[in-house]
Short mmCIF file of all heavy atoms in Angstrom, two decimals:
data_model
loop_
_atom_site.label_atom_id
_atom_site.label_comp_id
_atom_site.label_asym_id
_atom_site.label_seq_id
_atom_site.Cartn_x
_atom_site.Cartn_y
_atom_site.Cartn_z
N ALA G 806 42.36 -57.19 81.91
CA ALA G 806 42.70 -58.01 80.74
C ALA G 806 43.59 -59.15 81.20
O ALA G 806 44.28 -59.03 82.22
CB ALA G 806 43.41 -57.18 79.68
N HIS G 832 50.72 -54.85 77.20
CA HIS G 832 51.17 -55.71 78.30
C HIS G 832 50.72 -57.16 78.07
O HIS G 832 51.51 -58.10 78.21
CB HIS G 832 50.59 -55.15 79.61
CG HIS G 832 50.80 -56.02 80.81
ND1 HIS G 832 51.67 -55.71 81.84
CD2 HIS G 832 50.22 -57.20 81.17
CE1 HIS G 832 51.62 -56.65 82.76
NE2 HIS G 832 50.74 -57.57 82.40
N GLU G 833 49.47 -57.35 77.68
CA GLU G 833 48.96 -58.72 77.43
C GLU G 833 49.65 -59.34 76.22
O GLU G 833 49.91 -60.54 76.20
CB GLU G 833 47.45 -58.71 77.22
CG GLU G 833 46.64 -58.18 78.41
CD GLU G 833 46.97 -58.85 79.73
OE1 GLU G 833 47.27 -60.06 79.72
OE2 GLU G 833 46.93 -58.17 80.77
N HIS G 836 52.74 -60.93 77.26
CA HIS G 836 52.52 -62.28 77.83
C HIS G 836 52.45 -63.34 76.73
O HIS G 836 52.95 -64.45 76.90
CB HIS G 836 51.23 -62.32 78.66
CG HIS G 836 51.36 -61.65 80.00
ND1 HIS G 836 52.48 -61.75 80.78
CD2 HIS G 836 50.49 -60.89 80.71
CE1 HIS G 836 52.31 -61.06 81.91
NE2 HIS G 836 51.10 -60.53 81.89
N VAL G 851 57.21 -62.29 86.08
CA VAL G 851 56.45 -62.43 84.83
C VAL G 851 55.73 -61.11 84.53
O VAL G 851 55.79 -60.58 83.41
CB VAL G 851 55.43 -63.59 84.94
CG1 VAL G 851 54.56 -63.66 83.68
CG2 VAL G 851 56.16 -64.92 85.17
N GLU G 852 55.07 -60.56 85.54
CA GLU G 852 54.37 -59.28 85.37
C GLU G 852 55.35 -58.12 85.22
O GLU G 852 55.08 -57.17 84.48
CB GLU G 852 53.42 -59.02 86.54
CG GLU G 852 52.31 -60.06 86.69
CD GLU G 852 51.43 -60.20 85.44
OE1 GLU G 852 51.43 -59.28 84.60
OE2 GLU G 852 50.78 -61.26 85.30
N ALA G 855 56.56 -57.92 81.68
CA ALA G 855 55.51 -57.38 80.79
C ALA G 855 55.41 -55.86 80.96
O ALA G 855 55.28 -55.12 79.98
CB ALA G 855 54.18 -58.06 81.07
N TYR G 882 54.26 -55.95 88.60
CA TYR G 882 53.84 -54.93 87.64
C TYR G 882 54.85 -53.78 87.54
O TYR G 882 56.03 -54.02 87.39
CB TYR G 882 52.43 -54.43 87.98
CG TYR G 882 51.41 -55.52 87.78
CD1 TYR G 882 50.91 -56.25 88.87
CD2 TYR G 882 50.98 -55.88 86.51
CE1 TYR G 882 49.99 -57.28 88.68
CE2 TYR G 882 50.06 -56.90 86.31
CZ TYR G 882 49.57 -57.60 87.40
OH TYR G 882 48.68 -58.62 87.20
ZN1 ZN Z 1129 50.02 -59.37 83.19
#
Side-chain angles (χ1 to χ4, degrees):
H832 172 109
E833 299 308 325
H836 284 321
V851 175
E852 298 303 341
Y882 294 101

